[in-house]
Amino acid sequence: MGTTLAGLSLMVEPDFLGATLPLFEEGVVKCVEWSVDLGWSARGIPDWLHDLLAEYEAKDALYAHGVHFSPFSAEWQPEKDSWLANLSREREARKYRTLSEHVGFSTVPGVRIGAPFPFPFCAAARELGVSRLRKLHEVSRVPVALENLPLAFCEADVWAQGPFLRDVLCGADGLLHLDVHNLHCQLENFGCDPVALLETYPLERVRTMHVSGGSWADARDARHPHVRQDTHDDDVPKGVFQLLEQALKRAPNVEAVFLERLGGTMTSERDAEQLRADYTQMASIVTTSTSTSTSTSTSTSTSTSTSTSTSTSTSTSTSTSTSTLDDLASYQRSLIDALLRGEDAAEAFRAASPPEWRAITNGYEPRMLRLAARIANSYTLKD
């Protein structure tokens, strides 16, 4: 596609359309991303969105995103067959450049929709991820990417995610969908060095990026009063724009960067104006940064390799290499059960997790488990 494009992740709500319409009219939205499974309900999508998707499909600037497949859920449920059948029909209806889905697991038996949660980065999870990405590619017939998680239960998992993703994506010949605000959450919550953390990821596999805002939650922790969460419901922080600049310098193959803002979260004209201001700033960074990304990436390749090697040793120390897929399924069922029973049960998961995972879960931070419990009880839909 040549130069990197700036675009929007589409929402169906009226406030999103009202806020973004001036950007479309100015012709500054060069590509769009559509979360395909949001359009698979009986009510379908509005006519204006159908026309917009067709317009960007004709420009070869339409990207697909998935929300509910949950590629790292260890147990295969009937809903996954339905999801893939819908994806197959979507592929026949529209031409997308890539498809992205989330790292993390969100479903277990009895839970059909939820937010993505962390899991141990073990060999069984790697094999599962490779298999599921291959399945998604087989059905979609486009390159498939994984989006990095915003939530981590401890700092060791923050540093382990990049090397784990490198292993999975190399095994499946997949792409990395780099969510900059998700990285920002981990930087805020664990105080990591931004460049060092960026360079643990396989940045040469990045084709698409997300930029968004979020919110702060009460951590109930004297040392860390607040935790950052990825809620897509507020302005883009300054730190996210700074991190975007760093990421674009180090990722030589980026095609598109999308601004995310949930529909239904803009309650005033000020909110709409700020969304447009955020988009303008993001687009400016994309335009000015990508011209030097190739040379910068080449000059930093040695440090990237070194950082990845260091982080891989951290990853292996926090994973259980002999665990099986059944062990992973047991972990996932136990975690979701604890989270849905509330913050106290979530905190107790550290010592009450399946025995084979106890060495890992003992290191989980209570503040992050409490945050996960709030997220679970806000977004989970049971059968």
Side-chain angles (χ1 to χ4, degrees), residues 37-248:
D37 40 8
L38 300 185
W40 294 344
S41 65
R43 66 177 179 270
I45 63 175
D47 290 341
W48 67 264
L49 180 55
H50 184 277
D51 294 342
L52 196 61
L53 294 175
E55 177 185 341
Y56 281 88
E57 179 186 5
K59 298 176 182 178
D60 194 24
L62 178 61
Y63 293 78
H65 188 55
V67 179
H68 298 312
F69 181 67
S70 186
F72 287 92
S73 288
E75 296 174 86
W76 187 272
Q77 297 166 257
E79 289 82 4
K80 291 197 185 304
D81 292 312
S82 300
W83 198 96
L84 291 173
N86 282 323
L87 179 62
S88 180
R89 287 188 284 270
E90 186 76 30
R91 180 198 71 212
E92 297 299 325
R94 297 185 183 90
K95 180 184 177 183
Y96 295 93
R97 287 192 59 81
T98 63
L99 167 70
S100 56
E101 247 288 0
H102 298 83
V103 179
F105 78 99
S106 57
T107 63
V108 296
V111 171
R112 58 186 176 88
I113 291 177
F117 291 108
F119 52 85
F121 296 135
C122 57
R126 178 198 175 277
E127 293 170 8
L128 178 66
V130 169
S131 173
R132 296 282 170 80
L133 254 67
R134 288 174 176 168
K135 173 58 72 174
L136 287 171
H137 174 67
E138 176 188 334
V139 175
S140 68
R141 299 181 188 173
V142 296
V144 178
L146 285 175
E147 176 182 334
N148 53 299
L149 267 173
L151 180 64
F153 290 142
C154 59
E155 186 176 348
D157 282 353
V158 171
W159 293 102
Q161 184 178 178
F164 173 78
L165 277 171
R166 181 180 295 277
D167 287 347
V168 172
L169 297 175
C170 287
D173 195 22
L175 303 177
L176 176 60
H177 180 79
L178 187 68
D179 190 303
V180 183
H181 185 263
N182 287 358
L183 276 179
H184 177 73
C185 288
Q186 298 190 336
L187 296 175
E188 291 283 5
N189 291 335
F190 295 97
C192 306
D193 177 85
V195 172
L197 184 58
L198 263 175
E199 293 184 348
T200 65
Y201 283 82
L203 299 179
E204 72 283 357
R205 290 184 176 270
V206 178
R207 300 293 182 278
T208 51
M209 292 184 180
H210 272 166
V211 171
S212 70
S215 59
W216 293 95
D218 182 4
R220 287 176 49 201
D221 186 296
R223 292 190 308 119
H224 305 281
H226 301 96
V227 286
R228 185 73 183 176
Q229 53 185 356
D230 185 49
T231 47
H232 300 178
D233 58 357
D234 208 340
D235 308 341
V236 178
K238 179 181 178 181
V240 170
F241 287 126
Q242 293 171 337
L243 192 58
L244 174 63
E245 292 177 339
Q246 294 293 335
L248 286 170

Side-chain angles (χ1 to χ4, degrees), residues 77 79 106 108-114 336-337 339-341 376-377 379-383:
Q77 297 166 257
E79 289 82 4
S106 57
V108 296
V111 171
R112 58 186 176 88
I113 291 177
I336 293 296
D337 175 69
L339 297 182
L340 290 176
R341 286 189 286 113
N377 283 281
Y379 295 101
T380 298
L381 292 179
K382 295 183 178 181
D383 292 333

